[in-house]
Amino acid sequence: MAAELDGRQQVYDAEGELVTPVDHWRAQVTNRSTEPIRDLMVRFGEAYVAVGAVTFDESGQGNPVPVPVHLLGPGRRCELRSQRFRVTTLQNSPPTLFFTDAGGQRWRIDVHGELSEAAADAG
């Protein structure tokens, strides 16, 4: 399995300046597989789920899509974001990605890159 999760609290603008306030997660997901992945959902900690998503085309143009993200093709990437949190909740609610591979297996990847099987109804 070759999906990749990169959770970020800091967000930078086009000039490289930090955008403030730092009050939400932006979970960037890249499908490094040769097969599509489906039903992408990110949980933040135990109690919160992504509230918005954007997929990116080859040129880097973002397109808003519903959550969960239904399909992410090979080599494609998307970003799922959390709601705004207080600082302590933000720090205690790291992202975990849930997705289904082309064979129908449900997987989870935490912010440290640990991949494991997930229950069929997880995420």
Side-chain angles (χ1 to χ4, degrees):
M1 191 47 45
E4 182 177 284
L5 172 66
D6 182 15
R8 298 181 184 268
Q9 294 175 0
Q10 289 83 13
V11 178
Y12 297 88
D13 65 17
E15 288 77 41
E17 297 294 319
L18 181 64
V19 176
T20 55
V22 178
D23 61 0
H24 66 285
W25 282 99
R26 296 168 74 96
Q28 297 182 18
V29 179
T30 304
N31 180 2
R32 302 230 183 263
S33 172
T34 59
E35 298 288 332
I37 55 178
R38 297 180 286 113
D39 304 322
L40 288 82
M41 175 53 79
V42 174
R43 293 191 67 81
F44 301 93
E46 296 296 319
Y48 307 98
V49 295
V51 296
V54 174
T55 58
F56 298 92
D57 62 24
E58 297 91 3
S59 70
Q61 178 68 36
N63 303 297
V65 295
V67 177
V69 176
H70 176 67
L71 184 72
L72 189 63
R76 299 291 185 151
R77 66 185 178 94
C78 70
E79 181 177 277
L80 294 100
R81 71 177 184 286
S82 72
Q83 65 192 60
R84 297 188 186 286
F85 294 123
R86 292 186 175 163
V87 172
T88 54
T89 303
L90 181 74
Q91 294 170 348
N92 292 317
S93 301
T96 301
L97 168 67
F98 294 86
F99 66 95
T100 303
D101 68 15
Q105 176 61 49
R106 192 78 172 148
W107 296 93
R108 68 187 303 270
I109 299 176
D110 68 20
V111 73
H112 306 292
E114 293 292 323
L115 175 68
S116 59
E117 288 187 23
D121 60 349

